[in-house]
Amino acid sequence: MGVNPNIAEVVSLMGESSRAAILTSLMDGRFHTATELANMAGIKPQTASFHLAKLVGGEFVTVEKHGRFRYYQLANQEIASMLESFLSVSQPPEVRSLRQSSQAKALQHARTCYDHLAGTLGVKLTESMVNFGYLEKKEQSFIMTTKGEQFFMDFGLDIRELKKKRRSFSRVCLDWSERHHHLAGALGHGLVERFFELEWIVRKPSTRAVSITEKGQTGFEKHFHVSI
Amino acid sequence: MGVNPNIAEVVSLMGESSRAAILTSLMDGRFHTATELANMAGIKPQTASFHLAKLVGGEFVTVEKHGRFRYYQLANQEIASMLESFLSVSQPPEVRSLRQSSQAKALQHARTCYDHLAGTLGVKLTESMVNFGYLEKKEQSFIMTTKGEQFFMDFGLDIRELKKKRRSFSRVCLDWSERHHHLAGALGHGLVERFFELEWIVRKPSTRAVSITEKGQTGFEKHFHVSI
DNA sequence: TCCATATTTCGATTATAGTTGAACTGTCTA
DNA sequence: TAGACAGTTCAACTATAATCGAAATATGGA
């Protein structure tokens, strides 16, 4: 009847295919221009502009103007988390071309979710860290053990610095379907940064998929007993 | 492009005002018939039937047939949690009548979220239990202390029985805006059941708001130092 | 058996919202 | 200063999907 807050208004912002395409494109956590997003979503720039205005209005997305470009970005980690939740309960779309198929596989394989690792790699690494006793899963979050603290320090993470940050230190990236959990939060972000630094993974252009390098193959095997 | 899973299809199920109204009506965790839901959503029964079919198809809702009635219910706690998340980021609708206004206040005041307490009461109680040292907030969940164990036993909860259940024992009901957290999970459910049993709270007909009784006033004050 | 009630199915209508071409604003660069 | 490019605004069009009356189906009770 309308004594309840209207969920619909907020939700319908992501419940439309073009906007959803834009949002998922932004899931790599990077800035994108309006035209870029239009191309990624397969729509004309006017249409993208129309949708982006709505997304900004709903505080899903922020803009920064630099010269004649406007750089769009997800508003915050919460939005990213929410989107990832839905991605995990969504069905992958039917495959239309070989190229799309291999892209989809790459995404499933290893991808960034806003600022941490998701996909098979993200899940396997998280599992491994739990098995080694570096992390302990406690209901909806991970707790770092003393053993873990030592390990992450040795691995080159400045734990003290990460803990200082206002954001939650280590949390699971939830998905409602409970098909998998993976490490997010400051620790998750710190790790993925370190992987880039070590060149164990590299970004694939214009998607949020990442490639595992030769170095990475041996690195993940040696330090995490994870083989891909 | 469509190499990303289509978030839109799933999400758009809740991103429509009539369906959202139905879903929020189901947030009390109880069964409702199709006609009931139609009335609550302010639509004709045919329309409700149409939407309910979609919701069942999307596994947001389950049906049970008893005679000529069909009882609809939210599919599971995850869906409820997801909905509550969105409610907390949604704006309350403009008030059209005094009656709506007082209903909205009642909802904000004390309500059930699927099977546990939300609203001001839910939040205050949770805070109180943390302050007394019965619960400790650990990232995304609560941990029961020894002191807490004693308290809940004394309060008449069968902790051992609750822990046996397959569902998560104590978790926060997340909202993405982080405006508040409250206790959910088996413990949250156990508590609210006990409150009904003690007649500290009673359901208001046809909403998910609950009223605090005289008994409740003194009870919450005495045992939780929460005054309403 | 007949009627009342709960719900769904069907078909037609309507309204909403996404889409796009065309035109416009603003910025960079040659 | 002109021209190219990024992005937005406007207005018209279109398509999708919600809505509802009418009719059909199913169940319960008298």
Side-chain angles (χ1 to χ4, degrees):
Chain A
M1 281 290 267
V3 297
N4 282 308
N6 70 333
I7 222 177
E9 211 163 300
V10 176
V11 178
S12 63
L13 273 174
M14 352 182 242
E16 195 278 326
S17 60
S18 296
R19 280 196 292 271
I22 290 175
L23 288 169
T24 46
S25 297
L26 287 168
M27 287 279 286
D28 59 7
R30 287 181 288 179
F31 286 105
H32 292 280
T33 66
T35 322
E36 247 171 41
L37 290 168
N39 291 333
M40 291 197 257
I43 48 178
K44 294 272 178 292
Q46 311 95 288
T47 314
S49 178
F50 166 78
H51 288 305
L52 284 166
K54 287 206 165 188
L55 290 172
V56 171
E59 296 182 335
F60 275 65
V61 161
T62 55
V63 216
E64 262 180 58
K65 210 177 154 184
H66 286 277
R68 56 179 162 179
F69 297 96
R70 302 215 179 168
Y71 293 99
Y72 289 91
Q73 203 185 216
L74 287 189
N76 54 53
Q77 168 65 53
E78 274 67 43
I79 301 290
S81 227
M82 198 160 77
L83 291 169
E84 182 75 6
S85 310
F86 285 112
L87 284 175
S88 58
V89 296
S90 309
Q91 294 302 318
E94 80 254 52
V95 172
R96 257 169 262 147
S97 69
L98 189 63
R99 186 157 160 270
Q100 276 201 359
S101 160
S102 62
Q103 279 188 25
K105 263 191 203 137
L107 264 189
Q108 200 188 346
H109 197 68
R111 66 176 186 274
T112 53
C113 166
Y114 195 63
D115 68 356
H116 58 271
L117 271 183
T120 316
L121 180 61
V123 175
K124 277 199 179 173
L125 281 177
T126 307
E127 274 174 7
S128 155
M129 291 185 286
V130 172
N131 288 339
F132 277 118
Y134 302 153
L135 299 176
E136 274 172 22
K137 180 133 181 283
K138 201 92 182 191
E139 303 262 340
Q140 304 289 328
S141 66
F142 292 110
I143 296 167
M144 188 162 56
T145 61
T146 354
K147 198 174 163 195
E149 193 142 351
Q150 192 56 50
F151 171 78
F152 291 118
M153 302 269 262
D154 292 349
F155 193 65
L157 293 185
D158 190 342
I159 297 296
R160 210 155 302 170
E161 198 54 44
L162 290 177
K163 278 191 173 168
K164 264 192 216 158
K165 303 199 169 163
R166 234 188 73 255
R167 63 186 294 190
S168 97
F169 176 65
S170 73
R171 40 178 281 284
V172 296
C173 196
L174 268 192
D175 55 23
W176 302 102
S177 69
E178 246 148 301
R179 279 197 227 149
H180 65 253
H181 289 292
H182 57 265
L183 180 64
L187 182 56
H189 180 52
L191 263 180
V192 77
E193 288 278 282
R194 185 77 181 122
F195 293 150
F196 279 125
E197 199 177 292
L198 291 169
E199 292 175 330
W200 286 13
I201 52 176
V202 289
R203 281 193 191 280
K204 295 191 179 181
S206 81
T207 63
R208 59 198 183 94
V210 297
S211 284
I212 299 157
T213 61
E214 295 259 329
K215 261 193 213 170
Q217 295 274 2
T218 42
F220 287 125
E221 177 66 53
K222 189 175 163 204
H223 289 82
F224 295 90
H225 292 204
V226 166
S227 58
I228 309 291
Chain B
M1 282 279 275
V3 298
N4 281 308
N6 68 335
I7 222 176
E9 211 163 302
V10 177
V11 178
S12 63
L13 273 174
M14 348 184 245
E16 195 278 326
S17 59
S18 295
R19 280 195 292 270
I22 290 176
L23 288 170
T24 47
S25 296
L26 287 169
M27 286 280 285
D28 60 6
R30 287 181 288 179
F31 286 106
H32 292 280
T33 66
T35 320
E36 245 170 42
L37 290 169
N39 291 332
M40 292 197 257
I43 49 178
K44 293 271 177 292
Q46 311 95 290
T47 314
S49 176
F50 165 78
H51 288 304
L52 284 165
K54 287 204 166 188
L55 290 172
V56 171
E59 295 181 338
F60 275 67
V61 161
T62 55
V63 216
E64 263 180 54
K65 210 177 154 185
H66 287 276
R68 56 181 160 175
F69 297 95
R70 302 216 178 165
Y71 292 98
Y72 290 91
Q73 202 184 218
L74 288 190
N76 54 52
Q77 167 64 55
E78 274 66 42
I79 302 290
S81 223
M82 196 159 80
L83 291 168
E84 183 74 7
S85 309
F86 284 114
L87 284 175
S88 57
V89 297
S90 309
Q91 294 303 317
E94 79 254 51
V95 173
R96 257 170 263 147
S97 69
L98 190 62
R99 187 158 158 270
Q100 277 200 1
S101 160
S102 62
Q103 278 188 26
K105 263 192 204 134
L107 263 188
Q108 201 188 341
H109 197 69
R111 66 174 184 274
T112 52
C113 166
Y114 193 63
D115 68 357
H116 58 271
L117 271 184
T120 315
L121 181 61
V123 175
K124 277 197 180 175
L125 282 176
T126 307
E127 273 174 9
S128 155
M129 292 185 284
V130 171
N131 287 340
F132 277 118
Y134 303 152
L135 299 175
E136 274 172 25
K137 179 136 183 281
K138 201 92 183 190
E139 303 264 338
Q140 304 289 330
S141 67
F142 292 109
I143 296 167
M144 189 163 52
T145 60
T146 356
K147 198 175 163 194
E149 193 141 350
Q150 192 55 50
F151 172 79
F152 291 119
M153 302 267 264
D154 292 349
F155 193 65
L157 293 185
D158 190 343
I159 297 297
R160 210 156 301 169
E161 199 54 44
L162 290 177
K163 278 192 172 165
K164 264 193 214 155
K165 304 200 167 162
R166 234 187 74 256
R167 63 185 295 192
S168 98
F169 176 65
S170 74
R171 40 179 282 285
V172 296
C173 194
L174 267 191
D175 54 22
W176 303 102
S177 70
E178 246 150 300
R179 279 196 228 149
H180 65 251
H181 290 292
H182 56 266
L183 180 65
L187 182 57
H189 180 51
L191 264 179
V192 78
E193 289 276 283
R194 186 77 181 121
F195 292 149
F196 278 125
E197 199 176 292
L198 291 170
E199 292 175 333
W200 287 14
I201 52 176
V202 289
R203 282 193 191 280
K204 295 191 179 182
S206 80
T207 62
R208 60 198 182 94
V210 298
S211 284
I212 300 158
T213 61
E214 295 259 330
K215 261 192 214 169
Q217 295 272 3
T218 42
F220 287 125
E221 178 65 54
K222 189 175 163 203
H223 291 82
F224 295 90
H225 291 205
V226 167
S227 59
I228 310 290

